[in-house]
Amino acid sequence: MTDHAQEFDDRGDLAPGEQQHGDLRSRILFYVAGLGLAVLLTATSFFIAGTNLVWQPSIPVAIIVLAIAQMGVHLVFFLHITTGPDNTNNVLALAFGLIIVFLVVGGSLWIMANLNHNMMPMDQLMQMQQ
């Protein structure tokens, strides 16, 4: 067997862009750290939403910040999105997916706002039905 084929067999079956982090124990600890951070961010969101310790108008902003932080934790710890040169395709696919989601959500909100603006008031609509 050639050196290249032996190296491929030693790496195991990895997805494109995924890097081997070491032995099984270190990989499990990596996932457990990600799980711990995700649970901590979720618990913090519920705590902020249900307490009076935080200034009430700042609660939505705090929850949005925690949600963005949790997305970052999921991208790094579970989806293995890093800044490495072999992750370019993964980052581009993620960016394209985000653009599509924002277009669909933004377009839907735009259409609903336009329909709401152009809709007849309810009292006039009820008079037309009688």
Side-chain angles (χ1 to χ4, degrees), residues 3-128:
D3 290 336
H4 180 69
Q6 180 65 33
E7 178 186 340
F8 179 74
D9 289 340
D10 291 341
R11 289 188 315 165
D13 191 15
L14 296 176
E18 186 175 351
Q19 296 144 356
Q20 186 115 7
H21 296 290
D23 62 340
L24 181 63
R25 180 181 169 96
S26 65
R27 286 186 285 177
I28 289 174
L29 287 175
F30 187 73
Y31 283 114
V32 169
L35 177 66
L37 284 173
V39 168
L40 179 70
L41 289 169
T42 302
T44 305
S45 297
F46 278 105
F47 175 75
I48 286 176
T51 187
N52 291 329
L53 296 175
V54 180
W55 185 49
Q56 291 296 322
S58 70
I59 288 177
V61 174
I63 290 176
I64 289 171
V65 167
L66 288 169
I68 292 170
Q70 191 161 31
M71 283 188 276
V73 166
H74 286 279
L75 288 173
V76 171
F77 284 93
F78 303 120
L79 296 176
H80 304 288
I81 302 293
T82 62
T83 58
D86 55 343
N87 259 343
T88 305
N89 288 338
N90 292 342
V91 173
L92 288 175
L94 178 66
F96 180 71
L98 287 174
I99 288 172
I100 296 299
V101 167
F102 283 128
L103 284 174
V104 168
V105 170
S108 298
L109 290 174
W110 184 8
I111 289 169
M112 288 188 290
N114 191 22
L115 288 172
N116 186 37
H117 177 73
N118 292 326
M119 191 170 174
M120 188 181 305
M122 189 56 94
D123 58 343
Q124 290 180 1
L125 188 63
M126 293 301 283
Q127 288 176 359
M128 285 182 60

